[in-house]
Amino acid sequence: MTEPDETSMDLEITTHARSKPETRLWLRMLSTTKLISTEIRKRLRAEFGATLPQFDLMAQLYREQEGLRLGELSRRTMVTNGNITGLVERLEADGLVIRETPTDDRRVTVAKLTEAGMTTFSAMAEAHEGWLRDLMGDVSEDMIAALWRDIGRVKTSAASHLSGPAEE
Amino acid sequence: MTEPDETSMDLEITTHARSKPETRLWLRMLSTTKLISTEIRKRLRAEFGATLPQFDLMAQLYREQEGLRLGELSRRTMVTNGNITGLVERLEADGLVIRETPTDDRRVTVAKLTEAGMTTFSAMAEAHEGWLRDLMGDVSEDMIAALWRDIGRVKTSAASHLSGPAEE
DNA sequence: CCCAATCCTTTGACAATTCAAATAACGGTT
DNA sequence: AACCGTTATTTGAATTGTCAAAGGATTGGG
C-alpha cells in the first residue's frame, strides 16, 4: 500500500466522545483539511505535475504581478523563510518564476511569475476551483457561507490568543 | 526573522473577493488550521520537546493500550506507511514506544506505548485540551457545536467525491 | 564616517512528508 | 512442496517543513 486509506481514518475520536467540544472540533477540522488537501495535492500532481506549496506560492505571485519580496511571500504563504528559498529555486529551475535583486536595496530578492508561470497558474487555478466545488458539492451554499463566517470567528479568536509576540 | 508573521498572513484573498464561495471557505479553513497547528506545535515543542506528528501518533496508541500494527496507525493518523516507520523509530529511540513482532505473523510490527510514553502522553493531552480552549476562547459553545456538525458535512461530501479508489 | 543595531535572505541540521519500488512473510492452489 | 498473489513494512529519492545561526546590506546615532 502506498498511502493511507482515506475513508477509514480516525484522527477523530469516533468511539469515545469524551473529549471537550473544542478538542472535538479541532480534530474534525484537522482531519477534514487533511482529507481535502491530500486530494488536491494528488490532482495537482496528476494533472499539472505541481506540488501544493508551489501552487500556493504561485497564487500569491499571480495576485501581485510586479512580484514580491521573499519575506513578503513567507508571510503570505505562512511558510518559513528558509523554506521559501528552495521553493523559489525549484520554480525558477522550471522556468515558472524569476528572481531579481533591485539595485536600490541589494539585500532584497523579488520573485515574480514568468509568462509561462502565469499561463500555467491560471489553468491550475481554474481546475482548483472546480475541484473544490466538486468536493463540497453536497454542502449547501448557505452552509458554506455560515462556515466561512464562523470559521472566521475561530481564526480571530486563535489569532488573539497566540503565545508568541506579534500582537499589538 | 525565523518564522512567518501569523497575524498578517494572507492565504486568504482579502483584497479581491472574486473567488467562488467554496474556494473562499477552503482558503479560510486552511489558514485557520495552519495558524492553530503552528501554535500548538510551538507549545508542544517548548513544553514537551515533542512534535505534532509524534503527539498524534501517541494519541492513537494511548487509546489502544495493547498496541497497534503500523498499517493501522497509518490509517488512523492519515500518515503514509513509509513515514510511520521513521516516526516510530524516533519515538522508540526516546523510550516512549516499543515495537514488537507477534510470533503468529512475522510480517507485522505492533507499536505500543511504554510506561514512560503513557505518562508523558497524558500530560501532553491535558495541556493540549487546555490550549484549544484557550485558543477558541472567544467562540461560543453553540458555535463550536454548529461548526463541528457542519464541518462533518463538508468532510462527508469530500470523502464521497474522492478521485482515488477506496470507496464502496 | 564609522559602528552598531537592524533587516533580508541563505545555509545547515534534522524531522516530516510523499511516492514508488523493494523486501519479507503469509496463504492458498496445485 | 514449489509457486503465486496478497499483505505488511521498509527503503530511497525528492520536497517540504522548522529552527537557529550566519551572511550580506542598509541605516541611524554618535
Side-chain angles (χ1 to χ4, degrees):
Chain A
M1 186 191 302
T2 179
E3 64 184 41
D5 172 357
E6 304 92 340
T7 58
S8 56
M9 80 290 182
D10 200 14
L11 272 188
E12 291 190 47
I13 311 218
T14 49
T15 41
H16 334 61
R18 10 178 197 264
S19 337
K20 299 229 174 358
E22 290 83 357
T23 302
R24 266 190 348 149
L25 172 57
W26 173 239
L27 294 175
R28 182 162 280 189
M29 287 177 66
L30 216 44
S31 60
T32 305
T33 55
K34 211 161 182 175
L35 178 67
I36 295 178
S37 55
T38 296
E39 179 65 17
I40 290 186
R41 188 172 17 74
K42 199 178 303 186
R43 298 191 190 185
L44 265 181
R45 175 183 167 74
E47 299 190 20
F48 298 98
T51 66
L52 197 42
Q54 287 173 352
F55 175 75
D56 288 347
L57 195 156
M58 291 176 75
Q60 295 302 330
L61 295 184
Y62 191 77
R63 292 170 51 199
E64 304 284 349
Q65 311 227 341
E66 316 80 41
L68 287 170
R69 290 140 64 122
L70 300 194
E72 184 62 19
L73 262 177
S74 168
R75 230 176 294 120
R76 297 200 191 191
T77 56
M78 296 171 86
V79 159
T80 47
N81 258 322
N83 201 10
I84 290 287
T85 299
L87 227 24
V88 170
E89 256 167 17
R90 266 160 256 141
L91 286 169
E92 191 173 38
D94 291 346
L96 300 171
V97 159
I98 42 172
R99 261 186 302 193
E100 43 195 41
T101 299
T103 43
D104 57 318
D105 187 346
R106 293 203 315 284
R107 294 171 299 180
V108 169
T109 302
V110 170
K112 70 186 266 207
L113 287 183
T114 61
E115 277 302 323
M118 307 228 294
T119 312
T120 300
F121 177 76
S122 42
M124 292 195 296
E126 190 175 5
H128 184 260
E129 206 156 61
W131 297 336
L132 285 170
R133 287 219 290 185
D134 176 21
L135 290 167
M136 300 191 183
D138 302 341
V139 186
S140 75
E141 283 298 305
D142 284 354
M143 194 174 280
I144 288 178
L147 279 168
W148 183 78
R149 184 175 15 81
D150 292 355
I151 293 176
R153 299 273 307 214
V154 174
K155 184 173 173 181
T156 304
S157 175
S160 66
H161 292 127
L162 298 180
S163 61
E167 294 102 296
E168 63 258 24
Chain B
M1 185 192 299
T2 179
E3 65 185 41
D5 172 357
E6 304 91 341
T7 57
S8 58
M9 80 291 181
D10 201 13
L11 273 186
E12 291 189 46
I13 310 215
T14 48
T15 40
H16 337 59
R18 19 178 192 259
S19 337
K20 299 231 176 351
E22 290 84 356
T23 302
R24 268 192 345 152
L25 172 57
W26 174 239
L27 295 175
R28 183 163 278 190
M29 285 176 65
L30 260 190
S31 60
T32 306
T33 54
K34 213 159 180 176
L35 177 68
I36 295 177
S37 53
T38 297
E39 179 65 18
I40 289 186
R41 189 175 13 78
K42 199 178 303 185
R43 297 192 191 185
L44 266 181
R45 174 183 168 74
E47 300 191 21
F48 298 99
T51 66
L52 198 42
Q54 288 173 351
F55 175 76
D56 288 346
L57 196 155
M58 291 176 75
Q60 295 301 328
L61 295 182
Y62 191 77
R63 291 170 51 200
E64 304 283 348
Q65 312 225 341
E66 316 79 40
L68 287 170
R69 292 142 61 120
L70 300 194
E72 185 62 19
L73 262 178
S74 168
R75 230 175 296 120
R76 298 199 190 192
T77 55
M78 295 172 87
V79 159
T80 47
N81 259 320
N83 198 11
I84 290 287
T85 300
L87 229 24
V88 170
E89 255 167 18
R90 264 160 265 148
L91 285 169
E92 191 172 38
D94 291 345
L96 300 171
V97 159
I98 43 172
R99 261 186 302 193
E100 43 195 40
T101 298
T103 43
D104 57 319
D105 187 346
R106 292 202 315 284
R107 293 171 300 179
V108 170
T109 302
V110 171
K112 70 185 267 206
L113 287 184
T114 61
E115 276 303 322
M118 308 228 293
T119 311
T120 300
F121 177 76
S122 42
M124 290 194 296
E126 191 176 3
H128 183 261
E129 207 157 61
W131 296 336
L132 284 171
R133 288 222 287 186
D134 176 22
L135 291 167
M136 300 191 183
D138 302 341
V139 186
S140 75
E141 282 298 305
D142 285 354
M143 193 174 279
I144 287 177
L147 278 168
W148 183 77
R149 184 175 15 81
D150 291 354
I151 292 176
R153 299 273 309 216
V154 174
K155 183 173 173 181
T156 303
S157 175
S160 66
H161 293 148
L162 298 179
S163 61
E167 297 102 294
E168 61 257 23

